[in-house]
Amino acid sequence: MRMVVQIGSEGHVHAAGVGKTLLSVMPEAEVIAIIERTGLPKLSEKTITTKQAFLQELKKVRECGYGLDDEEQTPGLRCIASNIYDEYGEAVAAVSISGPSVRIPDERIADIAEQVIAKAKAITHAIGGIHPRS
């Protein structure tokens, strides 16, 4: 499996690990405005397509510290992401890892997520940022 993303291309934040992670730290009113503007199109059988389910997903992201694209954009592909924070403790970027779901099975998600969160914290520290969970 090969995934290629063109520089400058646009994606769907509601079905992306990075998108969910970045949206999870935004005020709910801003998130609602974004999803009302962009919609929640169904990209696969696993895509979240209702506002209430998506807001619940963001709550889960806030609680666990990472966003998961669980084959929501592309069947067979998963992505795990965590935010990078600036010196004010504001999310400015995210780091992620993507791979085939056969290499990121359910039982490995938590371990891989820990590594992604640790890397995000390390990057946050390296740029002089403040991670809110530290």
Side-chain angles (χ1 to χ4, degrees):
M1 174 178 263
R2 172 175 249 156
M3 180 187 160
V4 178
V5 177
Q6 293 284 344
I7 294 174
S9 65
E10 295 182 5
H12 297 276
V13 293
H14 74 291
V18 169
K20 290 179 187 181
T21 301
L22 290 169
L23 288 176
S24 75
V25 296
M26 295 175 69
E28 188 172 291
E30 285 184 42
V31 172
I32 291 170
I34 289 169
I35 63 175
E36 285 178 352
R37 187 175 70 248
T38 62
L40 298 168
K42 184 174 184 169
L43 307 171
S44 80
E45 291 301 314
K46 293 188 172 186
T47 306
I48 297 169
T49 58
T50 67
K51 179 170 66 173
Q52 193 58 36
F54 187 67
L55 294 175
Q56 278 300 112
E57 178 75 2
L58 295 184
K59 180 181 179 196
K60 185 174 150 186
V61 172
R62 282 189 292 279
E63 290 169 357
C64 66
Y66 68 91
L68 173 66
D69 165 3
D70 188 12
E71 301 182 84
E72 294 165 55
Q73 284 195 60
T74 306
L77 187 66
R78 283 184 163 157
C79 174
I80 301 169
S82 188
N83 284 332
I84 297 168
Y85 296 88
D86 66 12
E87 65 272 20
Y88 305 107
E90 297 174 349
V92 293
V95 62
S96 69
I97 186 166
S98 297
S101 54
V102 296
R103 290 193 181 166
I104 306 176
D106 291 345
E107 57 272 7
R108 289 195 63 209
I109 290 174
D111 290 335
I112 294 171
E114 276 186 43
Q115 294 175 50
V116 173
I117 292 167
K119 200 51 78 175
K121 286 180 178 181
I123 295 168
T124 294
H125 178 74
I127 65 169
I130 301 168
H131 197 285
R133 292 180 179 234
S134 295

